[in-house]
């Protein structure tokens, strides 16, 4: 074990002995620091994603109590708007979700947050304006793995003109409306 003389004072004319320099423990911590920073960053990103607007709040349901008017929320992630079947249904957050297949039902049960529509299935453009409006299941878009529904195809077109801006506004409004 070899210690060096180190100048620990700013502008100090005489070096000061510091026994902690070049110890095996310090070398190990220096090597571990980048890994710890990576783990911390990944955890912060995961936390931020988990607190996106899929967190519990009111859910838009049709008069039958169906979320997304009975459409399969898993199918949207493959780019399709598909009506679900009563045989493949589950209740989540006091709303009934239907699916086109047993496989889609199983995928939803395994990770509901991955498939739930943003803003409880209320209109994304409406939420950007601070309002809860019903949605048309054919007026949808999946952005960064998140399902967004809108009132109509025309409203979805308007929403699509500034997707990042509308999402930011809607996220902030959702938090205000559902503290």
């Amino acid at each position: 074990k070899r210690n060096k003389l180190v100048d620990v004072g700013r502008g100090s004319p005489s070096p000061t002995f510091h026994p902690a320099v070049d110890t095996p423990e310090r070398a190990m911590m220096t090597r571990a620091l980048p890994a710890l920073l990576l783990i911390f960053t990944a955890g912060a990103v995961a936390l931020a994603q988990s607190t996106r607007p899929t967190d519990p709040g009111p859910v838009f349901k049709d008069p039958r109590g169906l979320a997304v008017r009975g459409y399969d929320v898993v199918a949207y992630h493959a780019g399709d708007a598909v009506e679900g079947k009563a045989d493949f249904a589950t209740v989540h957050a006091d709303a009934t979700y239907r699916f086109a297949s047993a496989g889609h039902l199983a995928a939803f049960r395994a990770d509901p947050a991955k498939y739930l529509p943003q803003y409880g299935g209320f209109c994304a453009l409406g939420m950007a304006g601070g309002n809860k409006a019903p949605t048309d299941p054919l007026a949808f878009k999946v952005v960064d793995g998140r399902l967004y529904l809108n009132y109509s195809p025309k409203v979805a077109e308007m929403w699509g003109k500034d997707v990042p801006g509308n999402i930011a506004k809607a996220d902030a409004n959702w938090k205000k409306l559902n503290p």
Side-chain angles (χ1 to χ4, degrees), residues 1-4 17-26:
K1 179 169 158 179
R2 190 176 134 188
N3 293 316
K4 294 181 180 179
F17 177 73
H18 194 284
V21 175
D22 288 342
T23 65
E25 293 84 9
R26 183 173 173 90

Side-chain angles (χ1 to χ4, degrees), residues 76-93:
Y76 285 115
H77 291 268
D80 300 316
V82 178
E83 284 190 73
K85 299 176 184 172
D87 291 344
F88 307 116
T90 191
V91 175
H92 180 81

Side-chain angles (χ1 to χ4, degrees), residues 83-155:
E83 284 190 73
K85 299 176 184 172
D87 291 344
F88 307 116
T90 191
V91 175
H92 180 81
D94 204 30
T96 300
Y97 289 83
R98 288 186 177 175
F99 303 89
S101 69
H104 284 191
L105 171 60
F108 179 82
R109 283 182 173 160
D111 190 3
K114 179 177 180 179
Y115 301 105
L116 289 171
Q118 299 302 285
Y119 323 121
F122 289 96
C123 177
L125 186 61
M127 190 56 59
N131 302 300
K132 292 179 185 174
T135 50
D136 176 345
L138 300 178
F140 76 95
K141 184 169 179 105
V142 176
V143 178
D144 296 330
R146 304 275 182 189
L147 173 59
Y148 297 89
L149 298 165
N150 277 287
Y151 179 79
S152 68
K154 178 127 176 106
V155 170

